[in-house]
Short mmCIF file of all heavy atoms in Angstrom, two decimals:
data_model
loop_
_atom_site.label_atom_id
_atom_site.label_comp_id
_atom_site.label_asym_id
_atom_site.label_seq_id
_atom_site.Cartn_x
_atom_site.Cartn_y
_atom_site.Cartn_z
N ILE A 39 -11.04 0.22 -15.60
CA ILE A 39 -10.58 1.28 -14.73
C ILE A 39 -11.64 1.83 -13.90
O ILE A 39 -11.61 1.89 -12.70
CB ILE A 39 -9.89 2.47 -15.54
CG1 ILE A 39 -8.68 1.84 -16.37
CG2 ILE A 39 -9.40 3.48 -14.55
CD1 ILE A 39 -8.21 2.86 -17.43
N THR A 40 -12.81 2.15 -14.55
CA THR A 40 -13.93 2.70 -13.89
C THR A 40 -14.49 1.73 -12.79
O THR A 40 -14.93 2.10 -11.78
CB THR A 40 -15.08 2.96 -14.86
OG1 THR A 40 -14.54 3.85 -15.88
CG2 THR A 40 -16.29 3.67 -14.27
N SER A 41 -14.39 0.36 -13.12
CA SER A 41 -14.96 -0.54 -12.13
C SER A 41 -14.12 -0.69 -10.98
O SER A 41 -14.59 -1.03 -9.88
CB SER A 41 -15.37 -1.91 -12.79
OG SER A 41 -14.20 -2.44 -13.41
N ILE A 42 -12.79 -0.47 -11.13
CA ILE A 42 -11.92 -0.45 -9.94
C ILE A 42 -12.39 0.64 -8.91
O ILE A 42 -12.60 0.42 -7.70
CB ILE A 42 -10.45 -0.26 -10.27
CG1 ILE A 42 -9.90 -1.41 -11.04
CG2 ILE A 42 -9.59 0.05 -9.02
CD1 ILE A 42 -8.48 -1.30 -11.48
N PHE A 43 -12.58 1.82 -9.49
CA PHE A 43 -12.99 2.92 -8.55
C PHE A 43 -14.39 2.65 -7.88
O PHE A 43 -14.51 2.89 -6.72
CB PHE A 43 -13.14 4.24 -9.34
CG PHE A 43 -11.82 4.95 -9.63
CD1 PHE A 43 -11.16 4.83 -10.82
CD2 PHE A 43 -11.18 5.67 -8.69
CE1 PHE A 43 -10.02 5.37 -11.13
CE2 PHE A 43 -9.95 6.28 -8.93
CZ PHE A 43 -9.34 6.12 -10.16
N ALA A 44 -15.30 2.00 -8.76
CA ALA A 44 -16.58 1.73 -8.20
C ALA A 44 -16.51 0.67 -7.10
O ALA A 44 -17.12 0.81 -6.12
CB ALA A 44 -17.44 1.26 -9.35
N LEU A 45 -15.80 -0.33 -7.30
CA LEU A 45 -15.73 -1.48 -6.34
C LEU A 45 -15.08 -1.08 -5.07
O LEU A 45 -15.50 -1.33 -3.95
CB LEU A 45 -15.06 -2.67 -6.89
CG LEU A 45 -14.90 -3.96 -6.09
CD1 LEU A 45 -16.39 -4.43 -5.71
CD2 LEU A 45 -14.32 -5.10 -6.84
N LYS A 46 -14.03 -0.28 -5.15
CA LYS A 46 -13.36 0.24 -3.99
C LYS A 46 -14.10 1.39 -3.31
O LYS A 46 -13.70 1.77 -2.21
CB LYS A 46 -11.91 0.82 -4.38
CG LYS A 46 -10.86 -0.25 -4.11
CD LYS A 46 -9.48 0.50 -4.42
CE LYS A 46 -9.01 1.33 -3.22
NZ LYS A 46 -8.06 0.61 -2.31
N GLN A 47 -15.02 1.92 -3.98
CA GLN A 47 -15.77 3.18 -3.51
C GLN A 47 -14.65 4.32 -3.36
O GLN A 47 -14.70 5.00 -2.27
CB GLN A 47 -16.50 2.94 -2.35
CG GLN A 47 -17.72 2.02 -2.63
CD GLN A 47 -18.60 1.91 -1.47
OE1 GLN A 47 -18.23 1.40 -0.32
NE2 GLN A 47 -19.79 2.45 -1.55
N ARG A 48 -13.77 4.39 -4.26
CA ARG A 48 -12.70 5.27 -4.19
C ARG A 48 -13.02 6.55 -5.05
O ARG A 48 -13.49 6.52 -6.09
CB ARG A 48 -11.40 4.65 -4.77
CG ARG A 48 -10.21 5.56 -4.88
CD ARG A 48 -9.04 4.69 -5.13
NE ARG A 48 -7.84 5.22 -5.53
CZ ARG A 48 -6.63 4.85 -5.07
NH1 ARG A 48 -6.62 3.94 -4.14
NH2 ARG A 48 -5.54 5.39 -5.57
N PRO A 49 -12.82 7.79 -4.44
CA PRO A 49 -13.04 8.94 -5.28
C PRO A 49 -12.25 8.97 -6.53
O PRO A 49 -11.04 8.52 -6.49
CB PRO A 49 -12.57 10.13 -4.29
CG PRO A 49 -12.38 9.57 -2.97
CD PRO A 49 -12.19 8.03 -3.16
N THR A 50 -12.81 9.40 -7.63
CA THR A 50 -12.07 9.31 -8.90
C THR A 50 -10.99 10.40 -8.98
O THR A 50 -10.21 10.42 -9.95
CB THR A 50 -13.10 9.58 -10.11
OG1 THR A 50 -13.74 10.75 -9.80
CG2 THR A 50 -14.04 8.40 -10.19
N THR A 51 -10.88 11.19 -7.90
CA THR A 51 -9.77 12.22 -7.86
C THR A 51 -8.52 11.57 -7.34
O THR A 51 -7.47 12.22 -7.26
CB THR A 51 -10.20 13.32 -6.93
OG1 THR A 51 -10.66 12.79 -5.76
CG2 THR A 51 -11.25 14.17 -7.62
N ASN A 52 -8.60 10.33 -6.91
CA ASN A 52 -7.39 9.67 -6.36
C ASN A 52 -6.79 8.68 -7.33
O ASN A 52 -7.34 7.59 -7.53
CB ASN A 52 -7.79 8.98 -5.05
CG ASN A 52 -6.61 8.53 -4.09
OD1 ASN A 52 -5.46 8.60 -4.62
ND2 ASN A 52 -6.90 8.15 -2.95
N PRO A 53 -5.66 9.07 -7.96
CA PRO A 53 -5.17 8.21 -9.08
C PRO A 53 -4.61 6.85 -8.70
O PRO A 53 -4.34 6.57 -7.55
CB PRO A 53 -4.02 9.14 -9.63
CG PRO A 53 -3.68 10.03 -8.49
CD PRO A 53 -4.85 10.19 -7.69
N LEU A 54 -4.47 6.03 -9.76
CA LEU A 54 -4.05 4.57 -9.48
C LEU A 54 -2.61 4.33 -10.01
O LEU A 54 -2.11 5.17 -10.84
CB LEU A 54 -4.96 3.69 -10.37
CG LEU A 54 -6.47 3.82 -10.20
CD1 LEU A 54 -7.28 2.90 -11.16
CD2 LEU A 54 -6.83 3.47 -8.75
N ILE A 55 -1.98 3.36 -9.52
CA ILE A 55 -0.64 2.92 -9.88
C ILE A 55 -0.76 1.98 -11.13
O ILE A 55 -1.49 0.99 -11.02
CB ILE A 55 0.15 2.25 -8.73
CG1 ILE A 55 0.26 3.22 -7.49
CG2 ILE A 55 1.49 1.82 -9.18
CD1 ILE A 55 0.94 2.69 -6.28
N VAL A 56 0.05 2.18 -12.15
CA VAL A 56 0.23 1.29 -13.23
C VAL A 56 1.36 0.34 -12.92
O VAL A 56 2.43 0.76 -12.57
CB VAL A 56 0.51 2.07 -14.59
CG1 VAL A 56 0.75 1.14 -15.76
CG2 VAL A 56 -0.58 3.13 -14.91
N HIS A 57 0.97 -0.98 -13.04
CA HIS A 57 2.02 -2.07 -12.81
C HIS A 57 2.49 -2.53 -14.13
O HIS A 57 1.76 -3.03 -14.92
CB HIS A 57 1.43 -3.11 -11.95
CG HIS A 57 1.08 -2.70 -10.51
ND1 HIS A 57 0.11 -1.74 -10.27
CD2 HIS A 57 1.57 -3.05 -9.32
CE1 HIS A 57 0.00 -1.57 -8.93
NE2 HIS A 57 0.87 -2.33 -8.36
N ILE A 58 3.73 -2.41 -14.33
CA ILE A 58 4.37 -2.98 -15.65
C ILE A 58 5.35 -4.11 -15.32
O ILE A 58 5.74 -4.27 -14.21
CB ILE A 58 5.27 -1.81 -16.35
CG1 ILE A 58 6.28 -1.20 -15.45
CG2 ILE A 58 4.18 -0.68 -16.89
CD1 ILE A 58 7.17 -0.11 -16.09
N LYS A 59 5.61 -4.83 -16.41
CA LYS A 59 6.37 -6.09 -16.20
C LYS A 59 7.91 -5.87 -16.01
O LYS A 59 8.51 -6.66 -15.32
CB LYS A 59 6.04 -7.18 -17.28
CG LYS A 59 6.48 -6.71 -18.70
CD LYS A 59 6.21 -8.00 -19.58
CE LYS A 59 6.33 -7.57 -21.03
NZ LYS A 59 5.22 -6.82 -21.64
N SER A 60 8.39 -4.81 -16.64
CA SER A 60 9.83 -4.59 -16.37
C SER A 60 10.11 -3.15 -16.83
O SER A 60 9.30 -2.45 -17.40
CB SER A 60 10.65 -5.51 -17.18
OG SER A 60 10.95 -4.98 -18.52
N ILE A 61 11.28 -2.65 -16.43
CA ILE A 61 11.74 -1.30 -16.73
C ILE A 61 11.69 -1.01 -18.26
O ILE A 61 11.54 0.11 -18.62
CB ILE A 61 13.17 -1.03 -16.15
CG1 ILE A 61 13.47 0.48 -16.19
CG2 ILE A 61 14.23 -1.87 -16.78
CD1 ILE A 61 14.76 0.83 -15.46
N LYS A 62 11.74 -2.08 -19.02
CA LYS A 62 11.73 -1.87 -20.51
C LYS A 62 10.38 -1.33 -20.94
O LYS A 62 10.30 -0.67 -22.04
CB LYS A 62 11.91 -3.29 -21.16
CG LYS A 62 13.29 -3.88 -21.12
CD LYS A 62 13.54 -4.99 -22.01
CE LYS A 62 14.76 -5.74 -21.64
NZ LYS A 62 14.48 -6.98 -20.86
N ASP A 63 9.37 -1.45 -20.18
CA ASP A 63 8.04 -0.94 -20.52
C ASP A 63 7.79 0.48 -20.00
O ASP A 63 6.75 1.11 -20.32
CB ASP A 63 6.85 -1.83 -20.05
CG ASP A 63 6.73 -3.03 -20.91
OD1 ASP A 63 7.48 -3.09 -21.91
OD2 ASP A 63 5.99 -3.81 -20.57
N LEU A 64 8.77 1.03 -19.27
CA LEU A 64 8.57 2.30 -18.68
C LEU A 64 8.23 3.47 -19.70
O LEU A 64 7.35 4.24 -19.50
CB LEU A 64 9.86 2.71 -17.83
CG LEU A 64 9.74 4.02 -17.02
CD1 LEU A 64 8.60 3.93 -16.04
CD2 LEU A 64 11.01 4.22 -16.24
N GLU A 65 8.95 3.39 -20.77
CA GLU A 65 8.71 4.44 -21.77
C GLU A 65 7.36 4.29 -22.57
O GLU A 65 7.00 5.10 -23.37
CB GLU A 65 9.95 4.54 -22.70
CG GLU A 65 11.05 5.23 -21.92
CD GLU A 65 12.43 4.95 -22.55
OE1 GLU A 65 12.53 4.63 -23.73
OE2 GLU A 65 13.40 5.03 -21.81
N LYS A 66 6.66 3.16 -22.32
CA LYS A 66 5.46 3.05 -22.99
C LYS A 66 4.35 3.84 -22.24
O LYS A 66 3.28 4.19 -22.75
CB LYS A 66 5.00 1.53 -22.99
CG LYS A 66 5.79 0.67 -23.86
CD LYS A 66 5.17 -0.73 -23.94
CE LYS A 66 6.11 -1.64 -24.77
NZ LYS A 66 5.93 -3.09 -24.47
N VAL A 67 4.59 4.11 -20.98
CA VAL A 67 3.61 4.83 -20.24
C VAL A 67 4.05 6.25 -19.81
O VAL A 67 3.21 7.14 -19.47
CB VAL A 67 3.12 4.17 -18.96
CG1 VAL A 67 2.32 2.87 -19.25
CG2 VAL A 67 4.25 3.83 -18.00
N SER A 68 5.37 6.52 -19.83
CA SER A 68 5.90 7.84 -19.43
C SER A 68 6.91 8.39 -20.29
O SER A 68 7.54 7.68 -21.07
CB SER A 68 6.31 7.79 -17.92
OG SER A 68 7.36 6.75 -17.81
N GLU A 69 7.18 9.71 -20.17
CA GLU A 69 8.09 10.36 -21.08
C GLU A 69 8.84 11.43 -20.36
O GLU A 69 8.54 11.82 -19.21
CB GLU A 69 7.46 10.99 -22.35
CG GLU A 69 6.33 11.96 -22.00
CD GLU A 69 5.43 12.32 -23.13
OE1 GLU A 69 5.49 11.63 -24.24
OE2 GLU A 69 4.72 13.25 -23.04
N ASN A 70 9.90 11.99 -20.94
CA ASN A 70 10.68 12.99 -20.22
C ASN A 70 11.13 12.57 -18.81
O ASN A 70 10.91 13.25 -17.87
CB ASN A 70 10.04 14.36 -20.17
CG ASN A 70 9.60 14.95 -21.47
OD1 ASN A 70 10.40 14.85 -22.39
ND2 ASN A 70 8.41 15.50 -21.58
N ILE A 71 11.64 11.35 -18.88
CA ILE A 71 11.91 10.70 -17.56
C ILE A 71 13.23 11.20 -17.02
O ILE A 71 14.33 11.14 -17.68
CB ILE A 71 12.01 9.11 -17.73
CG1 ILE A 71 10.60 8.65 -18.29
CG2 ILE A 71 12.33 8.41 -16.44
CD1 ILE A 71 10.61 7.15 -18.72
N PRO A 72 13.26 11.76 -15.74
CA PRO A 72 14.48 12.29 -15.21
C PRO A 72 15.53 11.13 -14.95
O PRO A 72 15.15 9.97 -14.71
CB PRO A 72 14.11 12.85 -13.84
CG PRO A 72 12.63 12.84 -13.83
CD PRO A 72 12.14 11.92 -14.84
N TYR A 73 16.80 11.45 -15.12
CA TYR A 73 17.83 10.39 -15.03
C TYR A 73 17.84 9.77 -13.68
O TYR A 73 18.10 8.54 -13.47
CB TYR A 73 19.22 10.87 -15.39
CG TYR A 73 19.93 11.75 -14.41
CD1 TYR A 73 20.83 11.20 -13.52
CD2 TYR A 73 19.62 13.11 -14.23
CE1 TYR A 73 21.52 11.91 -12.56
CE2 TYR A 73 20.26 13.89 -13.27
CZ TYR A 73 21.22 13.27 -12.41
OH TYR A 73 21.75 14.04 -11.49
N LYS A 74 17.48 10.51 -12.62
CA LYS A 74 17.45 9.92 -11.28
C LYS A 74 16.30 8.81 -11.23
O LYS A 74 16.42 7.85 -10.37
CB LYS A 74 17.17 10.96 -10.24
CG LYS A 74 18.47 11.82 -9.95
CD LYS A 74 18.18 12.88 -8.82
CE LYS A 74 19.39 13.78 -8.72
NZ LYS A 74 19.12 14.83 -7.72
N ALA A 75 15.29 8.97 -11.99
CA ALA A 75 14.28 7.97 -12.03
C ALA A 75 14.80 6.63 -12.56
O ALA A 75 14.54 5.61 -11.99
CB ALA A 75 13.08 8.42 -12.80
#
Side-chain angles (χ1 to χ4, degrees):
I39 301 165
T40 306
S41 59
I42 291 178
F43 284 99
L45 185 54
K46 262 188 81 94
Q47 294 187 291
R48 173 168 169 137
T50 52
T51 48
N52 193 351
L54 305 176
I55 299 175
V56 177
H57 294 65
I58 55 174
K59 60 175 171 287
S60 92
I61 190 171
K62 291 191 194 104
D63 282 358
L64 185 57
E65 285 159 25
K66 291 186 184 162
V67 293
S68 56
E69 57 192 14
N70 301 322
I71 301 169
Y73 76 96
K74 285 182 182 173

